[in-house]
Amino acid sequence: MKIASHDGLSLSPQNDFVWPRFDVVSHPYIKWGLGISIGVKFGDGANLPVNKLLLDISSVASGFTVPTGCIQTRLVGTVQTAESGVRLNFSGMNGLWQAMIRLHDISTSQARYNTMSLKQYGVLVGKATAGKREDGQDTPHYQVQVRSAGVDYRLAVNVKSKGDKPELLYLIADPFEHPILNRLAGLAEGFTLIPSQAGGAALDFVRGNLFDKDGMRTLPHNLPGPSNDLNDRIEHLVARAISEQDAQVFAFGERWGPEQDLKDKIFGFKPGNGIHDIHMNQGNDAAYRKDDGVWQDGGLLFHFPSTRQWVGVFLAFQSQSWHTDDQTGHALEGDEDKTTDKQVRIVAAMVNPAGPDPEVETVLLLNPSPQAIDLNGWHIADQQKRKCPLSGSLPAHGTVSVQLGAGVKLGNSGGLITLLDMKGLKVHGVSYTKVQAREEDWLVVF
């Protein structure tokens, strides 16, 4: 999928039309867009049957709408949208025309473009039946066999990078608590495709506030002795998931297969089938930039119902950036590990204040550093990305309680709170669950 501004673009053979960079009607702040340019020649369109004047476009991403369709400078007769296609009716038109379909999401206050690079991103829910470690030095993985709805799958979990920093960053969240668990509760066994968007079941290590990245550590994939390398860490959880009858694995990543005529190269079942890219999938270096996207990160969640426990396994490469573009997932140019990333923290929030609506919700910020920090131009964002502007100064070794406004709301059923600096970059983020927000007039402490 390509994103282009369509500056001076023309697909017609005679190059008759010159298209300027387009704007989206009623959204003047959008200065570029995701577009499909189509050269169409009908001859004498006015005399052709109506069924010859329909152009169907398939594989338009669901969740997008087509508010405007243009033929040269005139509107198309009709534009119909569907979940998986768009139909243009050229009735009454003739000659050579160039059509531009302008796509944008009008369900939110800002444009959002689905640039998901993983072709089949989703989650597999099933029962772990076997595990196998790879201790080689090439591109070893920890391999897991999962049985799901009568079908066998293999999970290929990276445990080593082939780059110049071979050790992966990892974090095991035990217990894992996050509002996303409510959205996973109703998933049946099998593989489910997930839309690459906020508010659903997709993972995003940067925007989803799944964990504190400062808690990630590097670990070799293979060391002498027991329980001391990355393979050991994953193997421990897989073994428990195999031994506990009601345990389930939720594997997020990209599906491959089924490979009808091929046996799985590790476990031998047929057809070959599985999930890979079970790691962060954004902020990549140049060699893997094509794999970037937002809301498409991989991960493993283990559910142990007997102890009412969830455990999360999150992996990233040391070469990946944690400040990424909100549309493409590419690393932002000039990005470095900002000092403010480790200075200002969200330490608590009054999510469920006492009293009737409208309630006064607050967020408590901490500055552990020896320097005061100017908060002018900073924002606090909620789960819907509504932003409350900040002002003033956060004193050295001090705290400040921010009263939320500007439409920012912290729902009592769980949510996200994100602190953004004056460049819009994430400084810190937290999440809370419905259980944590249940007690009225208590601070939720992070």
Side-chain angles (χ1 to χ4, degrees):
M1 184 175 291
K2 294 182 178 179
I3 290 181
S5 64
H6 293 276
D7 290 316
L9 176 66
S10 175
L11 296 182
S12 62
Q14 288 85 1
N15 204 27
D16 291 337
F17 306 125
V18 177
W19 284 78
R21 184 169 181 152
F22 63 83
D23 295 326
V24 178
V25 177
S26 78
H27 293 273
Y29 51 83
I30 302 175
K31 293 303 179 187
W32 55 272
L34 173 64
I36 303 173
S37 296
I38 308 161
V40 182
K41 186 173 183 179
F42 288 118
D44 188 0
N47 296 322
L48 288 176
V50 172
N51 63 355
K52 300 295 186 182
L53 294 168
L54 297 177
L55 176 63
D56 288 319
I57 305 169
S58 62
S59 300
V60 174
S62 61
F64 284 83
T65 60
V66 183
T68 306
C70 291
I71 295 185
Q72 199 172 2
T73 58
R74 289 182 285 177
L75 291 179
V76 175
T78 60
V79 178
Q80 300 172 348
T81 63
E83 182 173 302
S84 61
V86 174
R87 169 165 288 184
L88 303 184
N89 186 341
F90 291 85
S91 179
M93 306 297 180
N94 57 61
L96 177 66
W97 304 100
Q98 181 181 8
M100 172 71 75
I101 304 170
R102 302 171 181 176
L103 303 181
H104 71 107
D105 181 350
I106 60 173
S107 64
T108 63
S109 60
Q110 292 181 322
R112 175 167 51 79
Y113 301 89
N114 185 339
T115 59
M116 183 170 64
S117 62
L118 301 188
K119 296 178 178 63
Q120 291 203 82
Y121 175 72
V123 59
L124 174 69
V125 183
K127 173 66 179 175
T129 59
K132 183 177 180 180
R133 59 185 292 152
E134 295 178 338
D135 293 322
Q137 295 299 318
D138 184 16
T139 56
H141 293 71
Y142 189 87
Q143 309 284 358
V144 185
Q145 183 174 354
V146 172
R147 184 77 172 172
S148 178
V151 179
D152 287 304
Y153 297 80
R154 173 165 57 88
L155 312 182
V157 185
N158 290 74
V159 291
K160 179 178 179 288
S161 170
K162 61 182 179 181
D164 57 0
K165 297 179 179 179
E167 297 176 359
L168 265 64
L169 289 164
Y170 88 101
L171 183 143
I172 295 178
D174 182 8
F176 177 65
E177 298 176 334
H178 192 278
I180 196 174
L181 297 181
N182 294 330
R183 303 168 205 145
L184 300 179
L187 287 180
E189 278 201 352
F191 179 77
T192 301
L193 287 169
I194 300 176
S196 177
Q197 60 190 33
L203 303 185
D204 191 302
F205 289 8
V206 176
R207 296 158 190 83
N209 297 353
L210 297 164
F211 55 87
D212 186 348
K213 73 179 181 66
D214 290 337
M216 301 194 87
R217 298 290 183 267
T218 58
L219 190 64
H221 77 290
N222 183 25
L223 290 172
S227 302
N228 61 357
D229 58 43
L230 187 52
N231 269 316
D232 291 336
R233 298 285 195 271
I234 298 172
E235 191 169 50
H236 170 75
L237 289 168
V238 172
R240 181 183 172 189
I242 293 171
S243 65
E244 295 191 17
Q245 186 174 2
D246 56 354
Q248 286 185 308
V249 178
F250 291 68
F252 293 79
E254 183 173 39
R255 179 178 179 176
W256 83 81
E259 301 165 322
Q260 296 297 342
D261 298 323
L262 297 176
K263 287 185 178 181
D264 181 77
K265 68 178 184 178
I266 303 297
F267 298 108
F269 59 80
K270 190 175 181 179
N273 208 13
I275 310 295
H276 64 158
D277 289 331
I278 306 175
H279 50 67
M280 186 173 177
N281 292 305
Q282 59 181 305
N284 287 297
D285 58 21
Y288 296 96
R289 196 168 186 263
K290 61 180 176 56
D291 297 328
D292 285 344
V294 298
W295 295 103
Q296 60 156 34
D297 286 329
L300 287 176
L301 299 181
F302 295 88
H303 186 209
F304 301 106
S306 60
T307 54
R308 293 185 294 182
Q309 180 186 14
W310 288 81
V311 180
V313 178
F314 305 103
L315 302 167
F317 298 101
Q318 294 187 61
S319 59
Q320 290 173 311
S321 171
W322 290 82
H323 290 309
T324 60
D325 184 87
D326 285 336
Q327 278 75 47
T328 66
H330 296 328
L332 296 177
E333 293 185 10
D335 173 48
E336 297 176 359
D337 190 18
K338 311 295 181 183
T339 56
T340 51
D341 282 3
K342 298 180 179 179
Q343 286 180 343
V344 185
R345 313 286 292 182
I346 301 170
V347 294
M350 178 59 71
V351 174
N352 187 8
D357 289 335
E359 301 167 321
V360 179
E361 298 169 337
T362 58
V363 173
L364 186 65
L365 303 180
L366 168 69
N367 175 13
S369 77
Q371 294 86 28
I373 295 177
D374 182 6
L375 296 179
N376 287 295
W378 289 39
H379 292 83
I380 289 177
D382 62 16
Q383 183 164 295
Q384 284 70 41
K385 305 304 180 185
R386 295 172 296 216
K387 298 177 183 179
C388 173
L390 306 184
S391 60
S393 178
L394 181 53
H397 306 146
T399 61
V400 62
S401 180
V402 178
Q403 182 173 323
L404 299 181
V408 172
K409 296 288 291 181
L410 305 180
N412 294 344
S413 59
L416 310 179
I417 309 171
T418 305
L419 179 64
L420 305 171
D421 68 12
M422 64 184 303
K423 295 181 180 179
L425 301 178
K426 179 180 174 180
V427 175
H428 191 223
V430 295
S431 65
Y432 62 92
T433 66
K434 182 178 181 179
V435 173
Q436 290 174 301
R438 183 171 53 196
E439 295 295 333
E440 187 177 74
D441 211 29
W442 278 76
L443 284 171
V444 176
V445 179
F446 305 108

